[in-house]
Amino acid sequence: MSRAPILPGATIGFLGGGQLGRMSAMAARAMGYDVHVLDPDPACPARAVASRTITAPFTDVAAAEALARDCAVVTLDIEQVATPSIAACEALVPVRPGAAALHIVQDRVRQKEWLASLGFPLGPFGVARRRDELDHELARLMPAIVKTAQGGYDGRGQVRVRAAADVAAALPLVDRVPVVIEQWLALAGELSVMVARDPAGATRTYPVAFNHHDHGVLTWSMTPAPVAPAIAQRATEVAVAICEALGIVGLLAVEFFVTADGEVLVNELAPRPHNTFHTTERSAPTSQFEQQVRAVCGLPLGDTSLVTPGAIVNLLGDIWPADGRPPAWERALELPGVRLHLYGKADARPGRKMGHLSAIGPSAEAARDTVLTAYARLLDPPR
Ligand code: ATP
Ligand code: MG
């Protein structure tokens, strides 16, 4: 495969036009690339930025081919793209990350078993393909969390099993597809690492992010993670090793659990921009979105050093008042340094990621406190 860089003026194809694709497409546009998108939703967030949007399911091989035909490179904002569609693109242009890495990552069972086979640090887990296997693994691992192999995100497709009485709730999952059963861990915190890797194999990482989830969904994230340097270094080393073993060209986010005794365990992988690195638009010389463009186009990877600590808080559809008015954006934006990022989604359903707020500060915690103060103002408008 050619190592010549794909230069501005060329067209980048995105499989998936959600908020991640939209923000990467904005970065691509800023650098002078054209952007084409394929997404099943005709109103997908990236549509506003793309010069062409193909509306088709990710299983539509002909549509994927049509995307690739007019592009110099294809990348993605979601890993749940059917393998034949990726293969069809790969027959025409480089797909970055490529089919082999996506195949491993896009199925939770395959991903876990691959990580385990290479000795990467994981919490206790098992796999079940049938009811009797689920019973066996739950008896061994409870309290546990059962996760579907495919299609789960933002805590969906997951059931916590604290005791035998909860097992019934997990059954619909195992009826459908294989599941992963993880022991429920007492966490001291959650971290993530973003690795960019170029076609020649060079890698760059950002300072580690510290993440807070509620009910399985990311609420806020701040960088740099206020953890012992040895913990941040360990997470970074593991993430780079995973990225290299997968042969990723593009981005790989690795989510980590940190246990009470300081163990750093891999939670899961995402071969694309990641919610916990939206801070890089504020805290780094190169955002994760620009970095994705640089990596997949074979341009020099951008500087990932820390310019300033930063934080984001997610805006879920839940905070849109029932009376049809928007949240009080103007109140949040009164706070110095707070920015509003909305993804252009019309339908504010509960649990749906609609946007985020970002802030910077003298420390990660200060940035986090500012962004959470801004968030509280959205909900409590003196109108
Ligand atoms: P997302 O798409 O938001 O990354 P997801 O649906 O893929 O999430 P996970 O990352 O597997 O789901 O889990 C979501 C969150 O649930 C984790 O970040 C963590 O807060 C909690 N969680 C998941 N598994 C465990 C576990 N084994 N022990 C403790 N907490 C867990
Ligand atoms: Mg996750």
Side-chain angles (χ1 to χ4, degrees):
M1 200 172 285
S2 162
R3 291 275 163 81
I6 295 160
L7 296 172
T11 302
I12 303 174
F14 285 81
L15 290 164
Q19 62 265 21
L20 304 176
R22 173 185 169 104
M23 290 184 274
S24 291
M26 285 175 171
R29 286 287 217 176
M31 294 173 76
Y33 289 94
D34 194 3
V35 171
H36 291 185
V37 168
L38 185 156
D39 195 279
D41 177 3
C44 70
R47 180 176 203 113
V49 193
S51 69
R52 181 186 183 201
T53 305
I54 300 173
T55 302
F58 294 128
T59 48
D60 186 334
V61 172
E65 241 169 31
L67 176 80
R69 205 170 295 127
D70 290 337
C71 295
V73 60
V74 167
T75 185
L76 48 117
D77 99 326
I78 183 167
E79 52 275 23
Q80 307 300 342
V81 177
T83 305
S85 299
I86 295 165
C89 293
E90 231 167 30
L92 296 171
V93 291
V95 178
R96 295 171 170 166
L102 295 173
H103 179 71
I104 293 168
V105 173
Q106 68 186 191
D107 180 288
R108 203 183 276 277
V109 169
R110 211 177 290 133
Q111 183 188 122
K112 272 271 203 250
E113 289 180 336
W114 179 85
L115 287 165
S117 73
L118 293 187
F120 289 112
L122 297 169
F125 79 98
V127 170
R129 292 179 175 82
R130 297 190 317 265
R131 169 67 204 262
D132 58 319
E133 291 173 343
L134 179 65
D135 289 341
H136 176 81
E137 293 300 327
L138 283 173
R140 182 171 75 86
L141 295 165
M142 232 165 20
I145 180 164
V146 181
K147 304 181 178 180
T148 55
Q150 289 186 4
Y153 68 100
D154 293 347
R156 288 169 226 195
Q158 307 197 348
V159 178
R160 274 186 74 175
V161 182
R162 295 175 179 80
D166 299 333
V167 172
L171 292 182
L173 293 184
V174 82
D175 279 349
R176 251 192 318 140
V177 279
V179 292
V180 169
I181 303 99
E182 296 175 16
Q183 193 160 81
W184 185 260
L185 303 167
L187 301 181
E190 294 189 64
L191 306 177
S192 51
V193 176
M194 176 59 77
V195 189
R197 187 166 176 274
D198 72 14
T203 58
R204 287 258 174 116
T205 57
Y206 288 95
V208 173
F210 183 98
N211 311 319
H212 180 82
H213 295 75
D214 288 301
H215 314 294
V217 186
L218 181 75
T219 304
W220 54 261
S221 174
M222 61 180 174
T223 189
V227 295
I231 287 185
Q233 194 184 331
R234 167 80 176 141
T236 302
E237 284 168 4
V238 169
V240 170
I242 293 171
C243 187
E244 287 175 342
L246 281 171
I248 295 271
V249 176
L251 302 182
L252 179 74
V254 183
E255 300 177 14
F256 289 95
F257 296 139
V258 183
T259 64
D261 50 9
E263 253 194 307
V264 176
L265 304 171
V266 177
N267 172 19
E268 61 168 348
L269 312 178
R272 50 167 170 77
H274 195 261
N275 196 168
T276 59
F277 285 88
H278 293 353
T279 43
T280 55
E281 287 196 305
R282 311 298 309 277
S283 63
T286 313
S287 75
Q288 64 168 342
F289 308 111
E290 178 180 340
Q291 195 75 306
Q292 181 183 22
V293 172
R294 285 173 176 248
V296 304
C297 290
L299 293 175
L301 294 177
D303 185 355
T304 52
S305 59
L306 189 78
V307 172
T308 171
I312 62 107
V313 60
N314 275 337
L315 304 174
L316 302 183
D318 310 61
I319 65 165
W320 266 247
D323 63 12
R325 288 180 312 168
W329 307 130
E330 69 285 3
R331 290 270 298 141
L333 291 171
E334 277 168 3
L335 291 185
V338 168
R339 269 193 212 163
L340 173 64
H341 312 247
L342 288 174
Y343 307 146
K345 298 181 183 177
D347 189 9
R349 290 189 300 274
R352 191 171 195 211
K353 287 178 180 168
M354 302 295 292
H356 63 276
L357 296 173
S358 65
I360 55 175
S363 68
E365 289 95 334
R368 187 262 327 264
D369 292 348
T370 299
V371 89
L372 291 182
T373 302
Y375 181 83
R377 283 171 153 239
L378 293 178
L379 309 183
D380 186 23
R383 283 174 162 177

